């Protein structure tokens, strides 16, 4: 998590800790988060998208949700889903064809 919480503490303390962590947010913290995202397996495009959204300076962040959706990460995700869907549908066709071939051999 970006900000570790001790859920046994009172809500006020959690809010205070979160505000302190946010006040200390800087380029170094951003680099740490981006590295964690990239190393988690999400990939460099995910890390790039997150780094843009979490920039410490508001003027460096995306100006709209449309700008976020235009990021190459989403195009890459769509392509991966299409490829996965295509490969899984090929696999299910092969499974359906296999019993027919077995029947032919049995005759």
């Amino acid at each position: 998590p970006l900000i570790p919480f001790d859920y046994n503490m009172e809500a006020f303390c959690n809010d205070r800790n979160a505000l302190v962590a946010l006040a200390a947010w800087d380029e170094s913290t951003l680099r740490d988060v981006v590295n964690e995202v990239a190393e988690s397996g999400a990939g460099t495009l995910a890390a790039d998208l997150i780094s843009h959204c979490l920039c410490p300076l508001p003027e460096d962040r995306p100006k709209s949700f449309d700008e976020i959706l235009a990021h190459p990460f989403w195009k890459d995700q769509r392509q991966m889903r299409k490829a996965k869907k295509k490969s899984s549908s090929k696999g299910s066709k092969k499974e359906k064809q296999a019993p027919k071939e077995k029947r032919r051999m049995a005759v």
Side-chain angles (χ1 to χ4, degrees):
L2 296 178
I3 303 169
F5 284 101
D6 178 3
Y7 291 105
N8 296 323
M9 295 172 58
E10 295 294 321
F12 173 77
C13 292
N14 286 338
D15 290 345
R16 187 172 156 264
N17 290 341
L19 289 173
V20 168
L22 287 173
W25 189 264
D26 60 10
E27 293 292 329
S28 173
T29 312
L30 178 59
R31 275 191 301 278
D32 292 344
V33 170
V34 168
N35 289 336
E36 281 186 44
V37 170
E39 291 172 4
S40 74
T44 56
L45 284 175
D48 184 66
L49 173 61
I50 290 171
S51 72
H52 280 90
C53 293
L54 297 177
C55 278
L57 299 174
E59 58 271 13
D60 294 337
R61 297 180 203 142
K63 306 298 181 255
S64 68
F65 199 68
D66 288 335
E67 192 175 332
I68 292 170
L69 292 175
H71 191 276
F73 169 78
W74 300 111
K75 182 179 180 181
D76 185 61
Q77 290 298 301
R78 284 189 297 274
Q79 289 173 342
M80 285 175 38
R81 274 194 217 108
K82 283 182 185 178
K84 188 175 182 179
K85 189 175 180 180
K86 198 177 223 182
S87 69
S88 68
S89 67
K90 284 181 182 179
S92 63
K93 286 180 185 178
K94 287 180 182 179
E95 289 171 8
K96 290 178 184 176
Q97 291 172 352
K100 290 179 186 178
E101 291 174 11
K102 287 181 183 177
R103 279 186 251 149
R104 285 186 205 153
M105 296 173 115
V107 175

